[in-house]
């Protein structure tokens, strides 16, 4: 075995190790690097893609509204879970839908258009009084969390637009029973 063989073996081993670490990191975070349909389909069922949450700041008295987009066992569709609660004295409502990939694609287009990944670096922020909005989404192998506590002036409108895209798929034609797709809660 000469030095050239050892060097080639080291390079191959190093490249393989880096690839394993990258894939393992993506699987642990449950997040795709690219937001295209093929990369999303490769994720395990139940991987969260986008989570939108809205409540009044006096959360002990008020209710909330949440939309969560997940991968589903059936790789031809995504799972949209809608959670809501009117106030602290009511039960949570939870409904699931099987929705097409365009739901995620349209949300990610808006996320990228408005550069949500830069919001957390903003110095001057704008917050809508009395309301707390947070959006968590999968980006480049990690989850990014943004809220209306650190956003541009039109930030609440952008976050609500993401919610409106997801809500537009919460209709009877996409309604499912949770056991139909095998995603555990």
């Amino acid at each position: 075995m000469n030095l050239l063989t050892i060097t080639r073996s080291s390079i191959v081993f190093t490249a393989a190790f880096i690839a394993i670490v990258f894939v393992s990191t993506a699987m642990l975070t449950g997040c795709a690097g690219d937001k295209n349909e093929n990369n999303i389909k490769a994720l395990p069922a139940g991987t969260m893609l986008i989570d939108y949450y809205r409540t009044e700041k006096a959360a002990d008295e008020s209710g909330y509204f949440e939309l969560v987009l997940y991968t589903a066992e059936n790789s031809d569709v995504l799972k949209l879970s809608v959670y809501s609660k009117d106030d602290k004295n009511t039960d949570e409502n939870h409904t699931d839908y099987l929705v097409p990939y365009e739901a995620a694609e349209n949300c990610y287009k808006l996320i990228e258009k408005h550069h949500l990944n830069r919001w957390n670096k903003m110095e001057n922020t704008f917050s809508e009084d009395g309301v707390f909005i947070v959006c968590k989404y999968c980006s480049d192998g990690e989850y990014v969390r943004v809220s209306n506590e650190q956003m541009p002036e039109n930030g609440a409108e952008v976050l609500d637009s993401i919610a409106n895209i997801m809500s537009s798929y919460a209709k009877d034609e996409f309604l499912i029973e949770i056991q139909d797709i095998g995603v555990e809660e």
Side-chain angles (χ1 to χ4, degrees), residues 11-29:
I11 291 171
V12 170
F13 176 76
T14 302
F17 179 75
I18 291 169
I20 289 169
V21 168
F22 178 75
V23 170
S24 297
T25 302
M27 290 177 78
L28 285 174
T29 61

Side-chain angles (χ1 to χ4, degrees), residues 28-184:
L28 285 174
T29 61
C31 214
D34 233 352
K35 280 55 123 212
N36 69 43
E37 183 174 336
N38 290 330
N39 286 345
I40 292 172
K41 282 183 176 183
L43 295 171
T47 300
M48 189 207 67
L49 300 173
I50 302 169
D51 183 353
Y52 168 93
Y53 179 86
R54 181 183 186 102
T55 189
E56 302 297 317
K57 286 191 178 176
D60 58 332
E61 297 284 330
S62 65
Y64 57 86
F65 178 72
E66 183 175 19
L67 298 157
V68 187
L69 197 56
Y70 298 97
T71 55
E73 194 169 292
N74 175 348
S75 66
D76 293 331
V77 293
L78 298 172
K79 175 187 160 195
L80 173 64
S81 292
V82 179
Y83 304 92
S84 64
K85 189 170 180 173
D86 294 331
D87 58 50
K88 70 176 185 175
N89 298 319
T90 60
D91 291 334
E92 178 182 76
N93 296 311
H94 174 198
T95 309
D96 293 303
Y97 303 87
L98 288 179
V99 300
Y101 277 89
E102 70 185 40
E105 291 166 351
N106 291 335
C107 288
Y108 278 115
K109 285 177 188 173
L110 199 58
I111 287 167
E112 290 171 7
K113 177 183 175 183
H114 292 280
H115 307 286
L116 268 67
N117 61 332
R118 297 181 190 163
W119 286 14
N120 290 331
K121 298 173 184 149
M122 297 181 76
E123 289 182 27
N124 298 323
T125 61
F126 176 83
S127 181
E128 189 175 337
D129 289 335
V131 176
F132 178 70
I133 306 169
V134 65
C135 181
K136 185 175 177 183
Y137 65 95
C138 178
S139 177
D140 299 324
E142 299 179 347
Y143 285 110
V144 176
R145 181 186 179 278
V146 297
S147 75
N148 66 328
E149 293 178 340
Q150 199 163 11
M151 67 179 184
E153 190 169 339
N154 70 336
E157 184 179 306
V158 172
L159 294 177
D160 287 344
S161 294
I162 293 168
N164 289 337
I165 290 170
M166 290 195 290
S167 292
S168 71
Y169 292 94
K171 47 189 173 185
D172 287 345
E173 68 186 271
F174 298 122
L175 188 62
I176 59 156
E177 295 292 325
I178 193 67
Q179 64 270 14
D180 292 346
I181 61 170
V183 176
E184 294 182 21

